[in-house]
Amino acid sequence: MALAVITGAGSGIGAATAHALAARGHSLALVGRSGAVEDTRDAIARETAGVQVYCHQVDLAVPTDRAALVRAIQRIIRDDGHQLTGVVHAAGVGTPAANLASLVTGDLEHAMAVNLTAPLEITRDLLPALTGCPGGARVLLIGAGIDERPQPGTGSYGISKMALKRLGHQLRTDLAHEGHEHDPAVGLFQPGVVDTPGLRAHIAAARDCALPHADYLAERLAQGQAYTPATVGEAITSLLLDTAAAAFEGQEWRPHD
């Protein structure tokens, strides 16, 4: 049975993607930092019968947690006979800072660990399971529009997301260089403005720091100009299940594509 791993599955884009994949009969390994990931699992169980959903509450910023997560997924694949068909790296963190003097090194380090190091290690360590998937497995990195458009106070999030985009290029380059048959296809999804709990928390924090983009984002929400998580989750699910590997590979996607 096909299995997809989704980080950041406790809320927002990750949770919506989990619901959309489950609705199409896909088994899931849900990863989240808090107990909210269990809420996602329970909601799917109420809505969708016959889908296996595994739940992993881990802190992706902690190396031992990342290693334990990979071992758990490897056991699921080995013991339950699943084929790993996709990994969606939806987890993302980064606290706004009022100014450069307020940019805390620890916050940048935390953002880099969750937004960059975790996707690298999880993809690398699950690569044997991703290789050889019939039709080709997919690795989807969830980016951010501010990666190449710096805005005041968004350093830790923007820098780490720009590094994530570069990671995507590196993964594709290294996989092509090694030239193994049936290596996973790697893509980047740029979700734009999505009405998630994370975005609303970001707006509140940015307002506390008197950052100019807070009002812009709040206005987008107020005018209904933000995507819903469900819309984004459906778009991601279509990319994972309906898009050929050759068309998926190396592309940068958006919800309207």
Side-chain angles (χ1 to χ4, degrees), residues 1-2 29 38 77 86 93 97 121 172 179 198 204 209 228:
M1 184 175 290
E38 297 177 354
I77 294 168
V93 299
E121 291 186 355
R172 293 192 296 273
C209 296
T228 66

Side-chain angles (χ1 to χ4, degrees), residues 79-212:
D79 297 343
D80 294 354
H82 288 291
Q83 171 67 60
L84 184 60
T85 59
V87 181
V88 180
H89 294 289
V93 299
T95 304
N99 49 43
L100 185 60
S102 302
L103 180 58
V104 178
T105 302
D107 182 61
L108 177 58
E109 292 172 344
H110 183 247
M112 293 294 282
V114 174
N115 301 352
L116 179 68
T117 305
L120 168 60
E121 291 186 355
I122 292 170
T123 302
R124 179 197 66 199
D125 295 344
L126 291 178
L127 189 59
L130 288 163
T131 300
C133 172
R138 314 283 190 274
V139 175
L140 189 62
L141 309 175
I142 306 300
I146 63 171
D147 53 8
E148 293 184 351
R149 297 194 298 273
Q151 300 176 32
T154 60
S156 62
Y157 188 68
I159 292 168
S160 57
K161 285 295 189 178
M162 184 63 194
L164 179 69
K165 179 185 285 190
R166 176 64 174 78
L167 172 62
H169 296 318
Q170 193 66 49
L171 290 173
R172 293 192 296 273
T173 298
D174 286 349
L175 288 171
H177 176 69
E178 294 171 0
H180 298 150
E181 189 175 5
H182 303 308
D183 277 336
V186 180
L188 176 71
F189 190 87
Q190 298 283 36
V193 179
V194 187
D195 188 358
T196 65
L199 177 65
R200 291 181 178 271
H202 178 93
I203 291 171
R207 276 184 168 156
D208 288 342
C209 296
L211 295 174

Side-chain angles (χ1 to χ4, degrees), residues 236-249:
I236 290 173
T237 296
S238 180
L239 285 175
L240 295 175
L241 302 185
D242 302 330
T243 305
F248 182 96
E249 171 64 19

